[in-house]
Amino acid sequence: MNLASVSYWEYISVHKGPGELLFVVTVSVSFQDSRVLVLGDSHVRRLAEREYLINDHLQGVLLTWRFLPGGYIEFAEDNIRAAFGHQIVVLMLGGNDLDNGCSEYQLADRVIHVANSMILHSYYTEAVIITSLWPRSSQEYNRRARLYAALMERRLSADTQVVFWLWDRRQPWRNTDGTHFTQHGYDVAMRYLVAPIVWAINHIQW
């Protein structure tokens, strides 16, 4: 990986694509005027409160956080124009859809449609990263989230602009209410968010 101005490597590792393990991450890099939108559910709102944790590692990146009520895909479908003016969009949503009757196939179809629409209708947007769903206390939900992840990996394996990002499942997220994390869990998750952003900046063609 060709990272600019790398000063050190840290412990974070994430799976990116079928069978591929990338060791990316908190690095001290300068990406002047890269505009990134993080769009999604209540995890996004909680992560936004911790932006200070990664500011030093994404120098020059202008982060915008947008919380969609419940993170339901229908709200993303109504907010395609939110991508305008951002080179990279990170989509973190779909968990409540999956938990409320949406099938893995329906969710995959709709999320990919949103991502492709953002690429198509915003000439400035070069990459959309769709993240896997973070675990909850429900084993059935986690099973379906894994099926959704496997489906997304297969569908997007050859795509160069819409990328599926699989979080490392080994992390002890420690749900507090069945869905959300402890403060420490969000601190860890915030640092994990650096990885897909750095990856996108280094792989897309400006």
Side-chain angles (χ1 to χ4, degrees):
M1 210 178 207
N2 183 22
L3 292 176
S5 306
V6 175
S7 61
Y8 60 91
W9 294 82
E10 284 193 1
Y11 65 91
I12 302 177
S13 66
V14 291
H15 289 88
K16 165 65 188 69
E20 182 183 356
L21 181 64
L22 296 182
F23 294 92
V24 188
V25 288
T26 35
V27 291
S28 187
V29 270
S30 179
F31 302 113
Q32 291 304 315
D33 300 324
S34 297
R35 300 183 62 86
V36 178
L37 170 67
V38 184
L39 180 71
D41 56 20
S42 53
H43 287 304
V44 170
R45 179 163 51 83
R46 288 165 170 80
L47 289 171
E49 298 170 353
R50 293 165 169 78
E51 184 176 337
Y52 66 91
L53 291 173
I54 62 172
N55 282 340
D56 289 344
H57 306 306
L58 293 174
Q59 298 169 21
V61 174
L62 305 176
L63 279 171
T64 300
W65 306 84
R66 187 154 184 173
F67 165 64
L68 301 174
Y72 288 100
I73 188 62
E74 65 180 283
F75 293 113
E77 291 167 338
D78 292 336
N79 280 272
I80 299 298
R81 296 177 69 86
F84 285 26
H86 297 89
Q87 295 148 311
I88 298 166
V89 178
V90 181
L91 292 178
M92 301 173 62
L93 43 74
N96 285 336
D97 293 281
L98 196 67
D99 214 15
N100 286 279
C102 185
S103 76
E104 298 86 3
Y105 292 91
Q106 290 173 324
L107 183 59
D109 287 343
R110 294 177 72 180
V111 174
I112 291 173
H113 177 72
V114 166
N116 284 329
S117 296
M118 288 179 167
I119 296 289
L120 179 64
H121 297 296
S122 176
Y123 71 91
Y124 197 66
T125 302
E126 296 287 345
V128 177
I129 301 169
I130 303 167
T131 68
S132 62
L133 301 175
W134 273 328
R136 298 186 178 183
S137 59
S138 166
Q139 293 304 309
E140 174 60 17
Y141 171 88
N142 292 337
R143 182 189 69 80
R144 295 186 63 208
R146 289 192 294 271
L147 290 175
Y148 166 74
L151 182 63
M152 293 292 278
E153 285 188 298
R154 289 197 300 272
R155 290 193 179 182
L156 295 174
S157 61
D159 203 308
T160 57
Q161 286 187 287
V162 178
V163 177
F164 184 70
W165 195 270
L166 184 63
W167 301 118
D168 190 337
R169 298 193 187 102
R170 295 171 296 175
Q171 292 301 315
W173 299 110
R174 301 188 185 279
N175 304 99
T176 56
D177 57 4
T179 300
H180 301 105
F181 311 144
T182 61
Q183 290 192 16
H184 174 68
Y186 277 112
D187 289 348
V188 174
M190 188 62 181
R191 293 186 175 92
Y192 261 58
L193 186 59
V194 174
I197 295 172
V198 169
W199 183 89
I201 291 172
N202 280 278
H203 282 74
I204 62 180
Q205 298 296 318
W206 301 109

